[in-house]
Amino acid sequence: MSELSRPQPDGRQGTPDDAAAVSALRSAVMRLSRRLKHQRVDESLSPTEMSVLGTLARCGSATPGELARKEHVQPPSMTRIVAMLEAKGLVRLEPHPDDRRQKVVTQTEQAEAMLEESRRKRNAWLAELVSGLDEDEWAKLRAAAPVLEKLAQL
């Protein structure tokens, strides 16, 4: 059975137009993501370190094991990432309230400020890009934003 004739989750058959749209979406998201990564405030942090800080900002404090699962990395790798972030003053390790064998990772005010500046810089960059869209394109982008957010959460 070819990829295009495989039933979709809702039972529909995939069409060549569906496949082309998925391919175009993948390509555009990847290119835009690469360009956004260059809009960093602190070049000393790796994209993975920034991702961990973003996860802590969105989800709150977590154990290194929970962070490893959320970031799709092995626990020993997360332990090293957390140690680097702690050395830079961006996270602190605190005793777990229920299990003293574990630690909880919490971002610091310094990390919050850096993330806010990073968001501001990336939003300004994106705002400059979208200023080149016409009204119809801008309306479509506003309508697509919640759908893209949903895809990012799946």
Side-chain angles (χ1 to χ4, degrees):
M1 179 178 280
S2 79
E3 183 174 313
L4 294 181
S5 64
R6 187 177 308 146
Q8 302 301 303
D10 65 357
R12 292 182 299 130
Q13 295 295 314
T15 68
D17 286 344
D18 292 341
V22 166
S23 182
L25 176 62
R26 176 198 45 77
S27 178
V29 167
M30 288 178 65
R31 286 192 322 273
L32 189 58
S33 176
R34 276 195 301 272
R35 293 177 67 194
L36 268 170
K37 285 179 185 177
H38 292 292
Q39 304 301 314
R40 294 190 302 175
V41 170
D42 188 337
E43 294 291 327
S44 71
L45 294 178
S46 72
T48 303
E49 290 170 322
M50 285 295 293
S51 181
V52 169
L53 291 177
T55 295
L56 288 170
R58 278 188 313 282
C59 302
S61 299
T63 66
E66 292 166 340
L67 285 172
R69 282 188 294 281
K70 289 177 182 180
E71 293 294 314
H72 305 285
V73 299
Q74 294 298 313
S77 296
M78 185 55 66
T79 299
R80 285 190 297 278
I81 293 164
V82 167
M84 288 186 282
L85 291 171
E86 184 181 30
K88 294 175 183 178
L90 298 172
V91 300
R92 64 181 172 275
L93 292 171
E94 301 168 337
H96 192 283
D98 301 323
D99 183 352
R100 294 295 178 184
R101 296 169 298 168
Q102 292 195 58
K103 298 286 185 182
V104 174
V105 183
T106 304
Q107 72 175 2
T108 64
E109 288 181 15
Q110 179 183 347
E112 290 175 27
M114 188 203 56
L115 284 172
E116 181 57 37
E117 178 60 18
S118 179
R119 283 187 209 103
R120 186 206 57 74
K121 182 177 181 182
R122 290 173 188 205
N123 285 347
W125 180 80
L126 274 173
E128 179 68 28
L129 278 184
V130 300
S131 70
L133 300 178
D134 64 33
E135 280 303 314
D136 184 52
E137 291 168 327
W138 181 222
K140 289 175 182 173
L141 184 59
R142 281 193 306 270
V147 177
L148 293 171
E149 180 62 29
K150 181 178 179 177
L151 285 175
Q153 299 303 320
L154 294 177

